[in-house]
Amino acid sequence: MFRLSNIRVSYKIGALGAVSVLGFLLIGMIYFIGSGSQSHYQKLADDAVSVRSTTRNLLIELLQLRRNEKDFLLRKDEKYSKLHADNATAAVGIFDQLKLQLTAMDQSQLVAKIDAIRAGYGVYSTDFLAMVDLAHKLGLTPDCSINRANDPS
């Protein structure tokens, strides 16, 4: 019958050392895998924060565009259409930046949604420019060409 007491002490110490080395290797491997997983998810979180920041900047630019449009319609001042054009250029740049970030994150579904939003934005931008052209044809102030011709006084 096999008994532990029959094994020499040097073999017992060697076996105990081998088991401890295997234990340390196992702990090291678990730490290495956990560290790699943690860095992967940290990168995803950092990318998500970056996309959130870009999205917030895009929202601010779109709100500024709407504000410039309303100011142009209410005040009939050319400076608001110029501000609108400047903000439109900035918004297009932010759309491009957001699309690049999402492509780098391999988020093809979100890229498709951004493309759809950008297409809608293109329609809005074209319609605003057409409205500005029409406002110029009609005259921005009551004493301009067409408005003055329609005034009975």
Side-chain angles (χ1 to χ4, degrees):
M1 177 157 200
F2 177 72
R3 290 185 156 183
L4 233 57
S5 60
N6 292 343
I7 300 176
R8 299 174 90 194
V9 174
S10 62
Y11 290 140
K12 289 180 186 178
I13 292 174
L16 183 62
V19 168
S20 65
V21 167
L22 287 176
F24 281 123
L25 286 175
L26 181 65
I27 290 171
M29 189 168 56
I30 290 171
Y31 175 78
F32 179 73
I33 291 171
S35 176
S37 177
Q38 182 181 8
S39 66
H40 170 72
Y41 286 111
Q42 183 64 43
K43 183 182 180 321
L44 285 177
D46 292 343
D47 290 344
V49 167
S50 176
V51 166
R52 184 186 75 193
S53 174
T54 304
T55 304
R56 186 177 347 173
N57 292 339
L58 179 61
L59 177 63
I60 290 169
E61 285 300 322
L62 292 176
L63 288 171
Q64 285 295 334
L65 286 168
R66 180 68 180 125
R67 181 180 190 181
N68 297 143
E69 175 189 3
K70 288 170 64 176
D71 286 340
F72 178 79
L73 290 171
L74 291 173
R75 295 182 176 92
K76 304 287 188 204
D77 192 349
E78 184 63 29
K79 75 177 180 179
Y80 296 111
S81 69
K82 291 178 182 172
L83 284 172
H84 188 278
D86 293 342
N87 288 336
T89 303
V92 167
I94 295 173
F95 270 119
D96 292 339
Q97 180 184 4
L98 184 59
K99 188 174 177 180
L100 288 174
Q101 287 174 337
L102 291 173
T103 302
M105 291 175 62
D106 196 30
Q107 296 290 328
S108 58
Q109 291 177 336
L110 293 177
V111 169
K113 289 180 181 182
I114 291 297
D115 286 339
I117 293 169
R118 186 168 178 182
Y121 167 75
V123 170
Y124 162 77
S125 184
T126 303
D127 288 347
F128 178 77
L129 291 175
M131 189 264 311
V132 168
D133 287 340
L134 183 62
H136 283 288
K137 288 178 185 175
L138 293 175
L140 292 177
T141 58
D143 58 335
C144 288
S145 60
I146 292 180
N147 286 332
R148 191 170 189 179
N150 292 334
D151 191 14
S153 59

